[in-house]
Amino acid sequence: MPDLKQPLDGIRVVDLTRVLSGPFCSMLLGDMGAEVIKVEPPGKGDPVRGQGTLKDGLSWYFASFNRNKKSVTLDLYADEGKALLAELIRDADVLVDNFRPGVLAKMGFDKARLDTLNPRLVTANISGYGSTGPMADLPAFDFIIQAMSGFMSVNGRADQEPMRSGQPITDLVGGLYAAFGIVCALRARDLNGRGQHVESALMNGILSFMAYLASEHLLTGQLPLRTGNNHPLVAPYGLYKASDGEVAVAASNDVVLRKFMRTIGLEDLLDDPRYDDNTKRFPLRDELKEIIDARMQDESQAHWIAALNAAGVPSGKVQDLGEVFADPQVAAQEMVISVDHPGHGDVRMLGFPVKLSETPCEARLPAPELGAHDEEILGPLRARLAQRSG
Amino acid sequence: MPDLKQPLDGIRVVDLTRVLSGPFCSMLLGDMGAEVIKVEPPGKGDPVRGQGTLKDGLSWYFASFNRNKKSVTLDLYADEGKALLAELIRDADVLVDNFRPGVLAKMGFDKARLDTLNPRLVTANISGYGSTGPMADLPAFDFIIQAMSGFMSVNGRADQEPMRSGQPITDLVGGLYAAFGIVCALRARDLNGRGQHVESALMNGILSFMAYLASEHLLTGQLPLRTGNNHPLVAPYGLYKASDGEVAVAASNDVVLRKFMRTIGLEDLLDDPRYDDNTKRFPLRDELKEIIDARMQDESQAHWIAALNAAGVPSGKVQDLGEVFADPQVAAQEMVISVDHPGHGDVRMLGFPVKLSETPCEARLPAPELGAHDEEILGPLRARLAQRSG
């Protein structure tokens, strides 16, 4: 058995993606050990290199989505660039792009050509809407997909407009699904020797997260309501006011609810005939909130969070990013790491969300300078092309 | 080479999870071909069996998260249940739970025992905060993780409270990361013959989606603002008013912005010295919105969406779930499927977000009745135990 450091050791990914969904996908593969070769247009490269705040010329946004990658520059509109891409593809295990569906084929790399170059290749495309259907060719962007997918229709307050998420959530879900699909396709190839095509669409990914909102609608035909921070079905639930800040409480069933009310000294309410059943409590949730707020004012946020969690009631507070990154739990989970970028110093970035005990994710390489690996990667390919034509 | 139908053919998953994050993870594995054995407590089983609207006694919410699974009932607090679980584990490739970290060990299945039973086993745990750190033992729930992770701090309007997402987003992200980690661990095992432990924490997963919000904060120390449906940095951007509804427009850079303004006949504005640069436009975004709204009133929502997309400007509308499920694009992508549940008729549910061209996801099995596979799965194990003790 080989000595394996990471699950994707030995896998080479040719990465034509840019901006967010695709680079996130290829970073996930790189974090798991793949050699990721980021192909960028000469000149400015991935637009994210110029986005966000730069420090010593380096975008930390770019750095945080492009660790564990090598960068080569290719002009894919020129013959030499296409010839070199073909050679890269011959040696690759995975080719991933987030062009609109069909763009890669128009560049000269349709399915037949890719099969000829490398029948073991796993190809992957991340697009807004997928490669079939009336919207396959439309330009897409996270905000538009949040709108089109129904995500916004369930996000926000009942009395206000549908709301987008502050996180570019559809890009990241789409990228993560693509990485999952690619590793599945690699496992299939390990078994049957053949590559295949993987598609992840931002629209499909975020739609698959509709959970009970979707199943309820499909069964009843009713539209889910926006309910802000209230639970759509259960009360009490949500944010309550301690003496020095709010406390988030998720009392999702009767057992946990009784623990909640007992902990704050209001258990009697649950035996009051006005509140002894969720169907009675739910329409009175504002009234209940006033009673609970009044009681919780007696103690601090920290007091209640500790007491509630100790009693088995999930509880916490709304943390801003400053609080999150100062949170000892986040530190214990190593969710901020520091990566040395020669010439730019240490860059702090988010850590690895999946922990594998024996072959863990590692930051082996900092995000590359544009074209940093042209010589290492493209040099031998140029020699190969020269030999073949000579 | 074997004839492979799906990437996880031949993989057997023993699934101790309940409710949402874990069942979503094991469903993703089942959709890719794994045999998933859902272990449930006798009596009521997974609490989701009783949640949401029931039709002919079946929860569509349960059905939509438990397709491609078999159900066995085991009392894991009784000796026979533990003995049968041990036998299940001997034959399994993956064991996944979403208990709090350490609970499985307290049940008698610590790492040493699992290694003895099956050194090739991939184990996985999905928890709120991960297995190390001061919060490892706390109860967790999607809403609380949305609060603690910073997600809520960037979701909502600037002048209002932080807002949770209507989707149970942290559960689903945590489940998807777990599935990704498990398939990576299976590939590692294919190569080196050894199982390992995979951890996915809801907090870490959603935190990893902070993208540029995190990198900007880590570099500048500044907190991201909640900006509702406005872009935090760019104007114009967002929702604009056509004659019969709103149009979502994502003009994320100068090239796309010029196409937008040209399409709506306001290109001259970009040459007006008051608006010719984003740094000038951004503080005037409300004023700009009024000008654009006034112009877009002249035509319908459908007109503008078609014209803008044709011009290369990502555009769409806020769709509710009724519109989403009537959308021809969603139909073309087969994002709603119908699964026959004997005794309950056809159940409509969300389809498969990742498309594999050669070994695609399939609905092979409807969600199981509680204990439907007791005889098939547990019968031979009971016989094995009897033989061993006899």
Side-chain angles (χ1 to χ4, degrees):
Chain A
M1 300 287 182
D3 184 26
L4 191 77
K5 286 195 66 180
Q6 296 190 278
L8 300 184
D9 274 6
I11 294 294
R12 181 180 257 204
V13 178
V14 175
D15 175 14
L16 304 180
T17 68
R18 57 208 54 201
V19 186
L20 189 47
S21 63
F24 182 56
C25 166
S26 57
M27 184 178 77
L28 290 167
L29 302 176
D31 288 353
M32 285 289 180
E35 180 189 27
V36 178
I37 300 171
K38 184 180 179 77
V39 177
E40 298 180 80
K44 292 192 170 177
D46 186 335
V48 171
R49 288 184 179 275
Q51 290 176 13
T53 304
L54 308 189
K55 186 183 172 193
D56 302 328
L58 178 70
S59 158
W60 281 33
Y61 173 24
F62 179 80
S64 70
F65 276 86
N66 291 283
R67 67 186 174 212
N68 289 331
K69 299 181 190 177
K70 299 177 177 179
S71 168
V72 303
T73 51
L74 287 183
D75 178 359
L76 297 181
Y77 297 95
D79 287 345
E80 200 216 7
K82 289 184 187 192
L84 286 166
L85 177 59
E87 294 309 307
L88 275 174
I89 287 170
R90 282 185 208 277
D91 299 343
D93 300 283
V94 177
L95 174 70
V96 55
D97 77 81
N98 61 350
F99 299 129
R100 289 190 225 174
V103 167
L104 193 62
K106 277 184 211 147
M107 286 176 164
F109 296 90
D110 61 9
K111 185 178 182 315
R113 175 94 191 282
L114 292 169
D115 278 349
T116 306
L117 287 169
N118 186 345
R120 286 175 54 84
L121 187 70
V122 170
T123 58
N125 172 258
I126 305 168
S127 69
Y129 300 103
S131 68
T132 60
M135 302 179 67
D137 294 330
L138 299 192
F141 201 82
D142 170 67
F143 172 53
I144 305 301
I145 304 294
Q146 290 199 32
M148 293 293 289
S149 65
F151 179 93
M152 286 176 63
S153 78
V154 298
N155 194 41
R157 295 188 354 183
D159 56 340
Q160 295 182 346
E161 73 279 14
M163 183 75 63
R164 77 180 182 103
S165 153
Q167 291 189 338
I169 189 84
T170 74
D171 277 317
L172 298 160
V173 171
L176 177 52
Y177 265 124
F180 173 63
I182 288 167
V183 178
C184 286
L186 285 170
R187 183 167 196 278
R189 191 193 70 164
D190 287 340
L191 296 175
N192 73 5
R194 290 194 297 276
Q196 60 179 312
H197 185 58
V198 176
E199 286 190 15
S200 172
L202 308 192
M203 177 89 158
N204 296 345
I206 198 69
L207 184 53
S208 81
F209 279 20
M210 275 293 167
Y212 45 80
L213 302 161
S215 53
E216 286 299 293
H217 174 75
L218 289 169
L219 176 52
T220 67
Q222 293 182 341
L223 292 176
L225 302 174
R226 283 191 296 285
T227 60
N229 288 328
N230 292 318
H231 193 286
L233 298 172
V234 170
Y237 187 102
L239 296 172
Y240 296 95
K241 289 179 185 158
S243 62
D244 56 349
E246 288 187 309
V247 176
V249 181
S252 56
N253 62 48
D254 286 346
V255 175
V256 178
L257 175 61
R258 190 159 284 273
K259 291 176 181 171
F260 170 38
M261 298 301 270
R262 187 182 304 145
T263 304
I264 63 173
L266 292 177
E267 189 178 3
D268 288 353
L269 274 188
L270 296 179
D271 302 313
D272 182 325
R274 294 198 308 147
Y275 303 120
D276 61 1
D277 186 277
N278 187 60
T279 57
K280 298 179 185 175
R281 288 190 300 269
F282 192 70
L284 302 175
R285 62 185 175 184
D286 292 342
E287 180 181 313
L288 267 169
K289 177 168 164 50
E290 279 179 35
I291 300 171
I292 295 170
D293 279 350
R295 172 69 188 99
M296 291 183 75
Q297 284 287 325
D298 296 348
E299 301 282 354
S300 70
Q301 190 186 46
H303 168 88
W304 287 125
I305 292 172
L308 288 167
N309 279 317
V313 182
S315 176
K317 62 182 171 178
V318 176
Q319 297 198 112
D320 64 35
L321 281 188
E323 294 169 302
V324 169
F325 289 127
D327 187 331
Q329 184 64 27
V330 173
Q333 288 285 307
E334 299 178 356
M335 282 308 292
V336 179
I337 61 174
S338 185
V339 177
D340 178 36
H341 284 61
H344 306 282
D346 284 343
V347 174
R348 294 204 303 153
M349 62 182 70
L350 289 164
F352 307 108
V354 183
K355 316 292 189 191
L356 271 64
S357 62
E358 305 303 318
T359 60
C361 294
E362 267 180 38
R364 306 180 314 278
L365 296 172
E369 304 284 337
L370 180 63
H373 302 84
D374 278 349
E375 198 176 305
E376 172 192 330
I377 306 278
L378 299 182
L381 300 182
R382 284 203 175 89
R384 193 199 286 175
L385 284 175
Q387 195 170 24
R388 202 179 297 154
S389 68
Chain B
M1 299 288 181
D3 183 27
L4 191 77
K5 285 197 67 179
Q6 297 190 276
L8 300 184
D9 275 5
I11 294 295
R12 182 181 257 204
V13 178
V14 174
D15 175 14
L16 304 180
T17 69
R18 55 207 55 201
V19 187
L20 190 47
S21 64
F24 183 56
C25 166
S26 59
M27 184 179 76
L28 290 167
L29 301 175
D31 288 353
M32 286 289 181
E35 180 189 29
V36 178
I37 300 170
K38 183 177 179 78
V39 176
E40 299 180 79
K44 292 191 169 176
D46 186 335
V48 171
R49 288 185 178 275
Q51 290 176 13
T53 303
L54 308 189
K55 185 183 173 195
D56 301 328
L58 178 70
S59 159
W60 281 32
Y61 172 26
F62 179 80
S64 69
F65 277 86
N66 291 282
R67 66 187 175 213
N68 289 331
K69 299 181 189 177
K70 298 177 177 178
S71 168
V72 303
T73 52
L74 287 182
D75 178 359
L76 297 181
Y77 297 95
D79 288 344
E80 201 217 3
K82 290 184 186 191
L84 285 166
L85 177 59
E87 295 309 307
L88 276 175
I89 287 170
R90 282 185 208 277
D91 299 343
D93 300 282
V94 177
L95 174 69
V96 56
D97 77 80
N98 62 348
F99 299 129
R100 289 190 225 175
V103 167
L104 194 62
K106 277 184 209 147
M107 286 176 164
F109 295 89
D110 61 10
K111 184 176 182 316
R113 175 91 191 284
L114 292 170
D115 278 349
T116 305
L117 287 169
N118 185 346
R120 287 175 53 83
L121 188 71
V122 170
T123 57
N125 173 258
I126 305 168
S127 69
Y129 301 102
S131 69
T132 59
M135 302 178 66
D137 294 330
L138 298 192
F141 202 82
D142 170 68
F143 172 53
I144 306 302
I145 303 294
Q146 289 199 34
M148 294 292 289
S149 64
F151 179 93
M152 286 176 61
S153 77
V154 299
N155 195 39
R157 296 191 348 186
D159 56 341
Q160 295 181 346
E161 73 279 15
M163 183 74 64
R164 77 180 181 103
S165 154
Q167 290 189 338
I169 189 83
T170 74
D171 276 317
L172 297 160
V173 171
L176 177 50
Y177 265 124
F180 173 64
I182 287 168
V183 178
C184 286
L186 284 171
R187 184 168 196 278
R189 192 194 67 166
D190 287 340
L191 296 175
N192 74 5
R194 290 194 298 275
Q196 61 179 311
H197 186 57
V198 176
E199 286 189 16
S200 172
L202 308 192
M203 178 91 160
N204 296 345
I206 198 69
L207 185 53
S208 80
F209 279 19
M210 275 293 168
Y212 45 80
L213 302 161
S215 53
E216 287 298 294
H217 175 75
L218 289 169
L219 176 51
T220 69
Q222 292 181 341
L223 291 176
L225 302 174
R226 282 191 297 285
T227 60
N229 288 327
N230 292 317
H231 194 285
L233 299 171
V234 170
Y237 186 103
L239 295 172
Y240 296 96
K241 288 178 183 159
S243 62
D244 57 348
E246 287 187 311
V247 176
V249 181
S252 56
N253 63 47
D254 286 347
V255 175
V256 178
L257 176 60
R258 191 159 284 273
K259 291 175 182 173
F260 171 36
M261 299 301 269
R262 187 183 303 145
T263 305
I264 63 173
L266 292 177
E267 189 177 5
D268 288 354
L269 273 187
L270 297 179
D271 302 313
D272 182 324
R274 294 198 308 148
Y275 304 119
D276 62 1
D277 187 277
N278 187 61
T279 57
K280 298 179 185 175
R281 289 190 300 269
F282 192 71
L284 303 175
R285 62 185 175 184
D286 291 341
E287 180 182 315
L288 267 169
K289 177 167 164 50
E290 279 178 34
I291 299 171
I292 295 170
D293 280 349
R295 172 69 188 99
M296 291 184 75
Q297 283 288 323
D298 295 349
E299 301 282 356
S300 70
Q301 190 186 46
H303 168 88
W304 288 125
I305 291 173
L308 289 167
N309 279 317
V313 182
S315 176
K317 62 182 171 178
V318 176
Q319 297 199 111
D320 65 34
L321 281 188
E323 295 170 301
V324 168
F325 289 128
D327 187 332
Q329 184 64 27
V330 173
Q333 288 285 307
E334 298 178 354
M335 283 307 292
V336 179
I337 61 174
S338 185
V339 178
D340 177 36
H341 284 62
H344 306 283
D346 285 344
V347 175
R348 295 204 303 153
M349 61 183 69
L350 290 165
F352 307 108
V354 183
K355 316 293 189 190
L356 271 65
S357 62
E358 304 304 316
T359 60
C361 293
E362 268 180 37
R364 306 181 313 280
L365 296 173
E369 305 284 336
L370 180 63
H373 302 85
D374 278 350
E375 199 176 305
E376 171 193 331
I377 307 278
L378 299 182
L381 300 182
R382 284 203 174 89
R384 192 198 286 174
L385 284 174
Q387 196 170 23
R388 201 179 297 154
S389 69

